[in-house]
Short mmCIF file of all heavy atoms in Angstrom, two decimals:
data_model
loop_
_atom_site.label_atom_id
_atom_site.label_comp_id
_atom_site.label_asym_id
_atom_site.label_seq_id
_atom_site.Cartn_x
_atom_site.Cartn_y
_atom_site.Cartn_z
N GLN A 729 0.87 -1.22 -0.04
CA GLN A 729 -0.02 -0.01 0.03
C GLN A 729 0.92 1.22 -0.05
O GLN A 729 1.88 1.35 0.72
CB GLN A 729 -0.89 0.02 1.21
CG GLN A 729 -1.93 1.13 1.18
CD GLN A 729 -2.93 1.00 2.30
OE1 GLN A 729 -3.02 -0.01 3.03
NE2 GLN A 729 -3.77 2.01 2.54
N LEU A 730 0.55 2.18 -0.82
CA LEU A 730 1.24 3.48 -0.93
C LEU A 730 0.65 4.57 -0.03
O LEU A 730 -0.49 4.40 0.42
CB LEU A 730 1.22 3.95 -2.33
CG LEU A 730 1.84 2.97 -3.41
CD1 LEU A 730 1.85 3.50 -4.79
CD2 LEU A 730 3.26 2.61 -3.03
N PRO A 731 1.33 5.68 0.25
CA PRO A 731 0.77 6.69 1.15
C PRO A 731 -0.55 7.27 0.70
O PRO A 731 -1.30 7.73 1.56
CB PRO A 731 1.88 7.75 1.13
CG PRO A 731 3.17 7.02 0.82
CD PRO A 731 2.71 5.92 -0.14
N ASP A 732 -0.81 7.30 -0.60
CA ASP A 732 -2.10 7.84 -1.04
C ASP A 732 -3.25 6.83 -0.95
O ASP A 732 -4.40 7.16 -1.29
CB ASP A 732 -1.99 8.34 -2.48
CG ASP A 732 -1.70 7.20 -3.46
OD1 ASP A 732 -1.60 6.01 -3.04
OD2 ASP A 732 -1.54 7.50 -4.66
N GLY A 733 -2.94 5.66 -0.37
CA GLY A 733 -3.98 4.69 -0.12
C GLY A 733 -4.12 3.67 -1.31
O GLY A 733 -4.85 2.63 -1.16
N SER A 734 -3.44 3.89 -2.39
CA SER A 734 -3.49 2.96 -3.51
C SER A 734 -2.61 1.79 -3.23
O SER A 734 -1.74 1.79 -2.42
CB SER A 734 -3.09 3.70 -4.81
OG SER A 734 -1.72 4.07 -4.74
N ALA A 735 -2.88 0.62 -3.99
CA ALA A 735 -2.12 -0.58 -3.83
C ALA A 735 -1.32 -0.81 -5.08
O ALA A 735 -1.71 -0.35 -6.21
CB ALA A 735 -3.02 -1.75 -3.52
N ARG A 736 -0.23 -1.58 -4.88
CA ARG A 736 0.60 -1.87 -6.07
C ARG A 736 1.03 -3.31 -6.02
O ARG A 736 1.47 -3.78 -4.96
CB ARG A 736 1.84 -0.92 -6.13
CG ARG A 736 2.40 -0.90 -7.56
CD ARG A 736 3.19 0.39 -7.79
NE ARG A 736 3.45 0.58 -9.16
CZ ARG A 736 2.77 1.31 -10.04
NH1 ARG A 736 1.74 1.93 -9.56
NH2 ARG A 736 3.06 1.48 -11.30
N GLU A 737 0.97 -4.04 -7.15
CA GLU A 737 1.35 -5.44 -7.23
C GLU A 737 2.78 -5.54 -7.61
O GLU A 737 3.27 -4.86 -8.54
CB GLU A 737 0.44 -6.19 -8.22
CG GLU A 737 -1.01 -6.17 -7.92
CD GLU A 737 -1.43 -7.01 -6.77
OE1 GLU A 737 -0.77 -8.02 -6.50
OE2 GLU A 737 -2.24 -6.55 -5.98
N LEU A 738 3.54 -6.42 -6.87
CA LEU A 738 4.95 -6.66 -7.13
C LEU A 738 5.27 -8.15 -7.08
O LEU A 738 4.57 -8.85 -6.36
CB LEU A 738 5.86 -5.85 -6.14
CG LEU A 738 5.76 -4.35 -6.15
CD1 LEU A 738 6.48 -3.78 -4.89
CD2 LEU A 738 6.41 -3.82 -7.43
N PRO A 739 6.36 -8.53 -7.73
CA PRO A 739 6.75 -9.95 -7.57
C PRO A 739 7.19 -10.28 -6.15
O PRO A 739 7.75 -9.37 -5.47
CB PRO A 739 7.86 -10.18 -8.59
CG PRO A 739 7.84 -8.90 -9.47
CD PRO A 739 7.22 -7.86 -8.67
N VAL A 740 7.02 -11.52 -5.72
CA VAL A 740 7.55 -11.96 -4.42
C VAL A 740 9.07 -11.73 -4.40
O VAL A 740 9.73 -12.03 -5.41
CB VAL A 740 7.20 -13.44 -4.15
CG1 VAL A 740 7.99 -13.90 -3.01
CG2 VAL A 740 5.68 -13.60 -4.06
N GLY A 741 9.58 -11.15 -3.33
CA GLY A 741 11.03 -10.86 -3.20
C GLY A 741 11.42 -9.44 -3.66
O GLY A 741 12.56 -9.09 -3.57
N ALA A 742 10.45 -8.71 -4.19
CA ALA A 742 10.73 -7.35 -4.60
C ALA A 742 11.17 -6.50 -3.46
O ALA A 742 10.73 -6.68 -2.27
CB ALA A 742 9.51 -6.74 -5.31
N ALA A 743 12.02 -5.58 -3.69
CA ALA A 743 12.53 -4.63 -2.67
C ALA A 743 11.94 -3.23 -2.87
O ALA A 743 11.24 -2.92 -3.86
CB ALA A 743 14.03 -4.54 -2.68
N ALA A 744 12.21 -2.36 -1.88
CA ALA A 744 11.69 -1.00 -2.01
C ALA A 744 12.15 -0.31 -3.29
O ALA A 744 11.35 0.48 -3.85
CB ALA A 744 12.07 -0.20 -0.80
N GLN A 745 13.34 -0.58 -3.73
CA GLN A 745 13.79 0.04 -4.96
C GLN A 745 13.08 -0.50 -6.18
O GLN A 745 12.90 0.31 -7.09
CB GLN A 745 15.30 -0.24 -5.11
CG GLN A 745 15.73 -1.69 -5.19
CD GLN A 745 17.16 -1.98 -4.89
OE1 GLN A 745 17.86 -0.98 -4.44
NE2 GLN A 745 17.67 -3.16 -5.08
N ASP A 746 12.56 -1.73 -6.13
CA ASP A 746 11.75 -2.23 -7.19
C ASP A 746 10.41 -1.48 -7.25
O ASP A 746 9.90 -1.19 -8.32
CB ASP A 746 11.53 -3.68 -7.10
CG ASP A 746 12.89 -4.44 -7.12
OD1 ASP A 746 13.71 -4.17 -8.02
OD2 ASP A 746 13.06 -5.34 -6.20
N LEU A 747 9.88 -1.22 -6.11
CA LEU A 747 8.63 -0.46 -5.98
C LEU A 747 8.79 0.88 -6.67
O LEU A 747 7.98 1.38 -7.47
CB LEU A 747 8.15 -0.33 -4.59
CG LEU A 747 6.97 0.60 -4.33
CD1 LEU A 747 5.71 0.05 -5.06
CD2 LEU A 747 6.70 0.77 -2.82
N ALA A 748 9.89 1.61 -6.30
CA ALA A 748 10.15 2.95 -6.85
C ALA A 748 10.25 2.87 -8.37
O ALA A 748 9.66 3.69 -9.10
CB ALA A 748 11.42 3.51 -6.26
N ALA A 749 10.98 1.83 -8.92
CA ALA A 749 11.10 1.67 -10.30
C ALA A 749 9.77 1.39 -11.02
O ALA A 749 9.56 1.89 -12.16
CB ALA A 749 12.06 0.59 -10.65
N SER A 750 8.89 0.67 -10.36
CA SER A 750 7.59 0.31 -10.94
C SER A 750 6.70 1.56 -11.04
O SER A 750 5.77 1.61 -11.90
CB SER A 750 6.89 -0.78 -10.12
OG SER A 750 6.39 -0.31 -8.92
N ILE A 751 6.90 2.54 -10.22
CA ILE A 751 6.10 3.75 -10.18
C ILE A 751 6.60 4.66 -11.27
O ILE A 751 5.82 5.32 -11.93
CB ILE A 751 6.17 4.42 -8.77
CG1 ILE A 751 5.50 3.57 -7.73
CG2 ILE A 751 5.51 5.82 -8.86
CD1 ILE A 751 5.64 4.05 -6.34
N GLY A 752 7.91 4.76 -11.52
CA GLY A 752 8.38 5.61 -12.51
C GLY A 752 9.90 5.78 -12.46
O GLY A 752 10.53 5.69 -11.44
N ALA A 753 10.54 6.04 -13.61
CA ALA A 753 12.01 6.18 -13.68
C ALA A 753 12.48 7.42 -12.85
O ALA A 753 13.52 7.34 -12.20
CB ALA A 753 12.47 6.34 -15.13
N GLY A 754 11.67 8.47 -12.88
CA GLY A 754 12.04 9.68 -12.13
C GLY A 754 12.13 9.38 -10.57
O GLY A 754 13.06 9.83 -9.93
N LEU A 755 11.13 8.66 -10.03
CA LEU A 755 11.12 8.30 -8.68
C LEU A 755 12.29 7.34 -8.36
O LEU A 755 12.90 7.52 -7.30
CB LEU A 755 9.82 7.69 -8.23
CG LEU A 755 9.63 7.30 -6.82
CD1 LEU A 755 9.84 8.57 -5.89
CD2 LEU A 755 8.34 6.65 -6.45
N ALA A 756 12.55 6.41 -9.20
CA ALA A 756 13.63 5.43 -9.00
C ALA A 756 14.94 6.21 -8.88
O ALA A 756 15.78 5.85 -8.05
CB ALA A 756 13.70 4.41 -10.11
N LYS A 757 15.16 7.22 -9.72
CA LYS A 757 16.37 8.00 -9.69
C LYS A 757 16.45 8.87 -8.44
O LYS A 757 17.56 9.04 -7.86
CB LYS A 757 16.43 8.88 -10.95
CG LYS A 757 17.73 9.63 -11.09
CD LYS A 757 17.78 10.45 -12.35
CE LYS A 757 19.03 11.21 -12.50
NZ LYS A 757 19.13 12.05 -13.72
N ALA A 758 15.31 9.41 -7.97
CA ALA A 758 15.31 10.32 -6.82
C ALA A 758 15.32 9.60 -5.51
O ALA A 758 15.61 10.19 -4.52
CB ALA A 758 14.13 11.26 -6.91
#
C-alpha cells in the first residue's frame, strides 16, 4: 500500500527500490 491509499502489485522478493522503479523512472532516480 502506498501513502495515497492505492495498492501496487509486485513480484515476491521485490525490494523498495523495485517499487520505486515500478512507479516511474524519475522516482527510482530520486
Side-chain angles (χ1 to χ4, degrees):
Q729 188 172 350
L730 303 181
D732 63 2
S734 64
R736 200 156 194 96
E737 301 291 323
L738 295 167
V740 171
Q745 58 199 9
D746 300 314
L747 171 62
S750 74
I751 295 172
L755 181 60
K757 184 177 180 180

